[in-house]
Amino acid sequence: MTAVIGFVSLILVIVAVITSATLGNTLEQQLEQKLKGYAASITLQWVGRTAPELATIDYVLNGKNPGVPGLLLAVSSAEAGTSGVVFDRSQSELNGASETLTSAQLTQIDEALNGETYATATIDDLGSYRVVATSTPTGVVVVTGLPRGDIQNQLATLLTVIVLATLGGLILLALTTAITIRVGLRPLRAVAATATRVANQPLDRGEVEITERVPASEADPRTETGLVGAALNKLLDHVNTSLSARQRNEERMRQFVADASHELRTPLASIRGYSELSLRALSQQQGPAAIEGTTTSLERIQAQSLRMTRLVEDLLLLARLDEGRELVYGTVDLAQLALEGLSDARPTAPEHRWNIDVPNEPVVVVGDTGRLHQVVTNLLANARTHTPAGTEITLSVTREGDEAVLRVHDDGPGIDPAVREELFARFARGDSSRARQTGGTGLGLAIAKAIVEGHHGRIEVSSVPGDTTFSVHLPLGPVLGA
């Protein structure tokens, strides 16, 4: 606001200076035109052919009255010297009276002219005068002058009016600007108040929900300040969503830590128990009985070690997939991969009915053979684990446009809708509605999803009781940036 007032003040000062200069110049020209007329008339009619020895002011006037307020008249010749008068300076006082000019005043007039025709002279007790010097044929010099007081008074009045009008205008401008700015910045104050309230909320821990928003009346995106409020609301929506996702991840991580701790605690307890059993057998028994007991314990220790190794390897695989360092690309025939995957899965669940549906020609994609085989294995294992004996599982591969699609279908009990959204989340546990019979870490489908997305594909699921299908979509041609 200060900058606006200062800028406007500068403009008003410039206007005032230009106006005053223009008006003053105009008034000076008008005064000079009057002065020329009076000087010519007086020189011709009053002084005329007066002899130089008679050229005194008393002789020239001889009772004459010019009728011009403030008129100054002086005559000068070598024989008669210099003399002059000034008439009354007010029209109301004009009665023919005149005041004789002193020698000092005459000297000031002569110094102002200094040989020039026109000059502006400042005369003691009289003020500022515009004077002109003319000569008669007889050699008499006549000096005629008019006061500049009216011009100065008019300029002073004008400047006073301009100053007062400027001050009034600036005060009105300041009030108007303050009100306008206050109203215009109201949305920003609402934004600041909202941001302050959000900043005072504890957002670093626990379940957090940001409910504060800039009021809709202050967040109109059609205005510049309202656009700030709308942008803040959008940011708060995004932050609130991110905090909710963070909270879900933290809860999932805590659940995973509990599950992983349980998964690791059991084999560790078994290893410890069998180790103590082996040591006790070796210390208390001798011969074949000790060897047999120790061998059994070592076999159990090895089995539990393998179980822990698989869990750690799954976690390491997910970490590497996140970094994009695990995939080695090559040419992969999905049809052949499906046949091999089904052949490996069939012996693990002979009570299930296994079907394969692949085209006769190869379905080739660019990818990592080992990791895509792991996707097939995990999906078949998921279908086998979460369905009862006698369930029919079908593995198929098709071409659909520019994609290769691998599907694993079963006619089991289906997936509980409550957990479907979290099905591919890492560390998610299996759905009890699918009659889960064995435990797991909840990493199988998460690994499958990470591998498929690493191949620039997508994995989807649709499920109703008696009809569950996992679909893997992979691009047929090479993907830029792969």
Side-chain angles (χ1 to χ4, degrees):
M1 186 175 71
T2 303
V4 173
I5 295 176
F7 185 69
V8 173
S9 301
L10 177 62
I11 294 177
L12 293 177
V13 168
I14 293 174
V15 171
V17 171
I18 294 175
T19 302
S20 301
T22 303
L23 179 60
N25 186 54
T26 301
L27 293 176
E28 291 285 357
Q29 290 178 356
Q30 292 177 353
L31 180 67
E32 196 159 305
Q33 290 297 325
K34 289 182 180 180
L35 185 59
K36 285 182 180 179
Y38 292 143
S41 176
I42 291 173
T43 301
L44 180 63
Q45 298 178 12
W46 291 11
V47 181
R49 296 187 177 276
T50 302
E53 61 275 10
L54 300 175
T56 63
I57 193 64
D58 293 332
Y59 180 84
V60 169
L61 289 179
N62 192 23
K64 299 183 179 69
N65 184 359
V68 180
L71 178 69
L72 180 147
L73 180 62
V75 292
S76 176
S77 66
E79 293 80 358
T82 303
S83 59
V85 296
V86 59
F87 292 90
D88 291 331
R89 282 164 283 179
S90 171
Q91 184 70 39
S92 61
E93 298 174 359
L94 189 61
N95 54 12
S98 62
E99 179 182 344
T100 303
L101 296 175
T102 65
S103 59
Q105 291 173 329
L106 293 172
T107 301
Q108 290 172 342
I109 296 173
D110 183 61
E111 290 175 351
L113 285 170
N114 194 25
E116 300 292 334
T117 302
Y118 288 93
T120 298
T122 301
I123 306 172
D124 293 342
D125 300 327
L126 298 180
S128 179
Y129 265 76
R130 184 69 174 170
V131 294
V132 59
T134 57
S135 298
T136 66
T138 60
V140 177
V141 177
V142 180
V143 177
T144 309
L146 287 176
R148 296 178 65 248
D150 290 343
I151 296 177
Q152 293 173 335
N153 291 337
Q154 291 182 38
L155 291 178
T157 301
L158 175 64
L159 290 176
T160 301
V161 171
I162 291 176
V163 170
L164 294 177
T166 300
L167 291 177
L170 290 177
I171 294 173
L172 181 61
L173 175 65
L175 294 176
T176 304
T177 303
I179 295 173
T180 302
I181 292 177
R182 186 173 185 83
V183 173
L185 295 183
R186 186 168 55 192
L188 293 183
R189 289 195 296 273
V191 169
T194 302
T196 301
R197 291 194 297 270
V198 172
N200 292 331
Q201 290 186 239
L203 304 178
D204 58 336
R205 61 188 180 276
E207 187 172 356
V208 178
E209 182 178 3
I210 302 177
T211 58
E212 296 289 346
R213 293 294 185 275
V214 179
S217 59
E218 310 295 348
D220 186 356
R222 294 173 297 180
T223 64
E224 288 78 1
T225 52
L227 188 61
V228 177
L232 179 61
N233 283 345
K234 185 176 181 180
L235 173 64
L236 293 177
D237 290 339
H238 176 69
V239 171
N240 192 54
T241 302
S242 301
L243 290 174
S244 298
R246 183 213 66 182
Q247 181 63 20
R248 288 194 300 271
N249 289 336
E250 288 182 356
E251 292 174 354
R252 192 178 298 121
M253 180 64 71
R254 283 194 292 268
Q255 182 63 42
F256 163 71
V257 171
D259 292 342
S261 299
H262 177 74
E263 294 289 340
L264 292 173
R265 182 177 60 182
T266 300
L268 285 173
S270 298
I271 290 173
R272 179 178 178 182
Y274 283 114
S275 299
E276 293 176 352
L277 182 61
S278 298
L279 292 174
R280 188 179 300 112
L282 290 175
S283 63
Q284 295 178 358
Q285 300 178 8
Q286 299 294 330
I291 294 175
E292 181 180 356
T294 302
T295 301
T296 302
S297 297
L298 291 175
E299 289 174 350
R300 298 304 304 160
I301 290 174
Q302 183 184 33
Q304 298 300 329
S305 298
L306 291 174
R307 181 179 175 184
M308 288 191 298
T309 300
R310 284 193 295 271
L311 175 61
V312 174
E313 287 179 348
D314 286 345
L315 294 174
L316 181 60
L317 172 61
L318 282 172
R320 288 178 175 175
L321 288 173
D322 286 341
E323 297 175 359
R325 298 191 294 113
E326 187 63 21
L327 300 178
V328 179
Y329 289 93
T331 301
V332 182
D333 181 2
L334 277 187
Q336 181 64 33
L337 199 68
L339 289 171
E340 295 174 357
L342 192 70
S343 298
D344 294 339
R346 182 178 283 115
T348 62
E351 68 280 4
H352 284 68
R353 291 176 293 161
W354 300 90
N355 298 317
I356 185 75
D357 181 13
V358 295
N360 294 327
E361 66 278 3
V363 180
V364 179
V365 298
V366 176
D368 188 317
T369 302
R371 294 309 171 197
L372 290 178
H373 186 277
Q374 187 173 4
V375 171
V376 176
T377 301
N378 287 0
L379 293 178
L380 292 175
N382 181 73
R384 179 195 71 232
T385 302
H386 300 293
T387 57
T391 300
E392 183 175 353
I393 301 175
T394 302
L395 177 61
S396 63
V397 176
T398 60
R399 292 174 180 266
E400 296 182 3
D402 57 353
E403 291 182 331
V405 182
L406 182 145
R407 292 185 174 89
V408 176
H409 173 269
D410 68 71
D411 57 1
I415 304 173
D416 185 356
V419 299
R420 190 177 302 170
E421 295 298 326
E422 302 292 331
L423 198 60
F424 294 102
R426 298 179 184 184
F427 323 125
R429 304 295 295 182
D431 177 20
S432 59
S433 69
R434 299 196 65 182
R436 177 174 180 170
Q437 297 175 352
T438 60
T441 61
L443 297 176
L445 291 179
I447 291 174
K449 183 174 184 291
I451 293 173
V452 171
E453 291 180 347
H455 286 80
H456 302 278
R458 66 185 188 280
I459 185 169
E460 301 171 345
V461 60
S462 61
S463 179
V464 294
D467 184 7
T468 298
T469 302
F470 285 84
S471 302
V472 175
H473 298 258
L474 295 172
L476 284 172
V479 178
L480 293 177

